[in-house]
Amino acid sequence: MRYETPETTRDAAALLAAEKGEAYILAGGTDLLVRMKAGLLEPDLLVDIKQVPAMNGIQQTAAGFRIGAAVPAVELGEHRALGRTWPGVVEAAKLIGSDQVQGRCTIAGNLCNASPAADTVPALMAAGAKAVVVGPERRRTVPVEKLPRGPGTMALAKSEVVEAILLPQRPAKSGDAYLRFIPRTEMDIAVVGAAVNLTLERGVVKTARIALGAVAPTAVLVPRAARAIIGTRLDDAALEKMAAACSAACNPIDDKRGTIAYRVKVAGVLARRAACIAYERAGGKR
Amino acid sequence: MSTSTVSTTINGDAVQFACPTDESLLDAIRNRVGLTGVKEGCGTGDCGACSITMDGRLVCSCLVLGVEANGRAIETVEGMADGDQLHPLQEKFIEHAALQCGICTPGFLIAARVLLERNPDPTEKEIRYALAGNLCRCTGYDKIVRAVQAAAKEMRKASKKRTRK
Ligand SMILES: Cc1cc2nc3c(=O)[nH]c(=O)nc-3n(C[C@H](O)[C@H](O)[C@H](O)COP(=O)(O)OP(=O)(O)OC[C@H]3O[C@@H](n4cnc5c(N)ncnc54)[C@H](O)[C@@H]3O)c2cc1C
Ligand code: FES
Ligand code: FES
């Protein structure tokens, strides 16, 4: 196995493009190295992106935040301004594994691993996050919800690399929240995840985005759930309608962590709780 | 399999080793450098027995490649004592009988040290969350939590004394 440490994103993409065998990007390795150890993959080439300056660091710009694809989750937790502006995204990142896992794992890796249960993906979709995707020839900016295609598959070409995740700047009176249900308090895979992001105008929900994880082959945005609370003060009737829309959007699997009926029900319950937290964070009083 | 030469710093000492590119840092530290304080429990990031710090960050060495350590600074349990003087965490683990078989202990010590550097006065809940990535099949955790609390107290006292001087 070849191990390369390019210093630019373009070089990383070129290395992937030139490799005839199996080639993978290595970010934090918390998915990739586990799969290699299990013998599920035998790469001919690993391209470690952690020495690419453009993929390191969190920048606050006029357009919002730019989180490099090599930034470990622990750095999101330490970034005050990011935590104040996007508490839901940060709380999702802080749910990944243990402190040890967070010392390595990245949110871009969480996205590119394309697990339906990835914790940060619903939070990123709700936030309206975009991924900066770089290939050997061109660079494009893609909404996060356009990338996961199904368990383990992404709408990325073989030689394309995610360079950074962009979070937009947000108006005052905005809040987001992410909740997941697992049978224990730490270190487990989501049975259901729910993310809500909203902006208020005089206590009324003006815009909203709601996304669910672990209830379909990919994390999903649920526009109908968002419409159910837009124009309301998040009264019980609106919450009821939103929860029903979330349950209706589910297409989950049955497994040892949760049955289909259970996941469908819990999706509504969690979305409701996340909406109330986001509303409060936006300064609303129910 | 291609082999790479890795230059790194372990517990303050410059160390060089050669390892296959797909070898874990855990295996490299144990078998090539000969520091066997770092333990393998699961090999998949779940148990924390292999915890080390790399450039000050707590990580599972089973989920790091040896080649990734090139140019980085690593700390293992072997670096915690100062000569014969045990680290307060090590002393309190012994005093509180916070270990039985001991395979989890180096990982707990490293993780607890990182916690106390960041938060010298953690609540019990904060300790339990910070150590959630470390599994112990023997002690039932309670004695480990008490040992960390006792060490934190002693370290706070010592740092107060230092600032008074
Ligand atoms: C003990 C343990 C607990 C865990 N708990 C959770 C949890 O609670 N919630 C959760 O969601 N996940 C969890 N995970 C899974 C994992 O930690 C996350 O998915 C993590 O975010 C992956 O990021 P990484 O940087 O380690 O990715 P890597 O393992 O480096 O990469 C993952 C995949 O994405 C590709 N990739 C990575 N970065 C890029 C990029 N920039 N461009 C293109 N492709 C890329 C890689 O080639 C690989 O296929 C856990 C894992 C472990 C070992
Ligand atoms: S051996 Fe590394 S976490 Fe268990
Ligand atoms: S003392 Fe045996 S596993 Fe912890």
Side-chain angles (χ1 to χ4, degrees):
Chain A
M1 183 184 83
R2 256 187 335 132
Y3 168 80
E4 297 284 351
T5 53
E7 287 175 11
T8 70
T9 312
R10 197 150 285 220
D11 286 349
L15 281 163
L16 291 180
E19 175 60 45
K20 299 238 161 30
E22 261 191 78
Y24 293 92
I25 293 290
L26 172 67
T30 59
D31 281 311
L32 193 69
L33 298 182
V34 173
R35 277 192 290 149
M36 278 168 61
K37 197 159 272 178
L40 297 175
L41 19 123
E42 272 180 56
D44 298 291
L45 169 67
L46 283 193
V47 179
D48 185 345
I49 55 173
K50 290 186 290 294
Q51 293 181 30
V52 178
M55 297 209 221
N56 279 290
I58 302 175
Q59 277 105 37
Q60 196 170 3
T61 65
F65 292 88
R66 183 185 187 283
I67 303 168
V71 173
V74 62
E75 281 187 38
L76 272 65
E78 290 167 354
H79 199 285
R80 289 249 173 104
L82 182 68
R84 266 197 312 270
T85 316
W86 290 106
V89 172
V90 172
E91 75 195 343
K94 285 172 77 171
L95 279 175
I96 301 178
S98 54
D99 285 7
Q100 282 88 336
V101 171
Q102 287 184 29
R104 294 265 293 168
C105 73
T106 64
I107 58 171
N110 199 219
L111 170 67
C112 293
N113 191 56
S115 159
D119 279 309
T120 65
V121 179
L124 291 173
M125 286 181 178
K130 296 193 166 94
V132 178
V133 176
V134 177
E137 244 87 79
R138 74 187 179 123
R139 155 188 297 268
R140 57 195 180 111
T141 303
V142 195
V144 162
E145 60 272 20
K146 298 266 193 273
L147 288 175
R149 266 211 194 124
T153 55
M154 290 283 284
L156 286 178
K158 178 192 162 212
S159 55
E160 280 186 320
V161 185
V162 172
E163 183 183 67
I165 302 288
L166 308 178
L167 286 167
Q169 202 45 274
R170 54 192 348 211
K173 299 281 176 199
S174 300
D176 70 330
Y178 174 75
L179 291 176
R180 77 165 175 196
F181 177 78
I182 55 173
R184 14 195 329 223
T185 50
E186 281 277 275
M187 299 288 284
D188 209 341
I189 298 169
V191 176
V192 177
V196 176
N197 169 32
L198 45 77
T199 298
L200 305 181
E201 203 174 77
R202 284 184 229 96
V204 175
V205 178
K206 196 173 138 207
T207 62
R209 284 166 71 93
I210 296 176
L212 300 173
V215 294
T218 68
V220 284
L221 265 180
V222 190
R224 208 149 68 84
R227 282 198 298 275
I229 58 168
I230 291 172
T232 76
R233 292 178 182 272
L234 220 61
D235 51 276
D236 286 343
L239 282 173
E240 200 64 45
K241 220 168 132 191
M242 179 204 71
C246 285
S247 293
C250 295
N251 174 21
I253 53 165
D254 242 326
D255 72 3
K256 62 176 181 202
R257 289 170 206 285
T259 60
I260 291 175
Y262 185 76
R263 286 178 200 254
V264 167
K265 164 115 190 173
V266 170
V269 174
L270 275 196
R272 210 180 153 124
R273 290 182 193 164
C276 292
I277 297 170
Y279 190 78
E280 217 166 85
R281 284 178 179 166
K285 286 203 181 57
R286 291 213 318 128
Chain B
M1 185 51 58
S2 46
T3 298
S4 237
T5 305
V6 177
S7 303
T8 178
T9 309
I10 303 185
N11 302 325
D13 298 330
V15 172
Q16 267 205 357
F17 58 85
C19 75
T21 47
D22 68 347
E23 181 168 290
S24 72
L25 181 56
L26 167 68
D27 286 343
I29 293 176
R30 285 183 60 87
N31 304 335
R32 297 182 196 278
V33 184
L35 294 176
T36 53
V38 51
K39 304 297 181 196
E40 174 159 30
C42 60
T44 52
D46 294 286
C47 78
C50 64
S51 298
I52 58 164
T53 65
M54 192 157 76
D55 290 348
R57 294 277 187 216
L58 182 66
V59 301
C60 295
S61 60
C62 70
L63 291 189
V64 179
L65 294 173
V67 286
E68 288 185 78
N70 196 36
R72 312 278 212 118
I74 289 176
E75 301 268 340
T76 69
V77 72
E78 284 89 346
M80 277 182 78
D82 185 4
D84 284 342
Q85 181 65 45
L86 291 181
H87 188 280
L89 276 163
Q90 292 172 307
E91 275 177 355
K92 294 298 171 192
F93 265 59
I94 296 172
E95 240 171 71
H96 287 255
L99 62 147
Q100 289 176 31
C101 80
I103 195 164
C104 67
T105 311
F108 270 103
L109 288 170
I110 291 285
R113 195 189 68 183
V114 171
L115 165 68
L116 296 186
E117 279 163 8
R118 213 177 48 210
N119 180 357
D121 192 5
T123 62
E124 173 169 349
K125 195 169 168 188
E126 285 169 336
I127 294 173
R128 287 188 185 268
Y129 268 97
L131 301 180
N134 295 80
L135 301 185
C136 175
R137 298 302 298 268
C138 301
T139 64
Y141 302 101
D142 219 64
K143 292 178 173 181
I144 294 175
V145 173
R146 302 296 158 239
V148 174
Q149 286 172 320
K153 197 165 163 195
E154 185 157 311
M155 288 165 72
R156 286 197 304 277
K157 247 196 271 161
S159 92
K160 230 185 246 153
K161 239 186 243 157
R162 266 202 305 280
T163 44
R164 244 189 266 130
K165 263 186 211 157

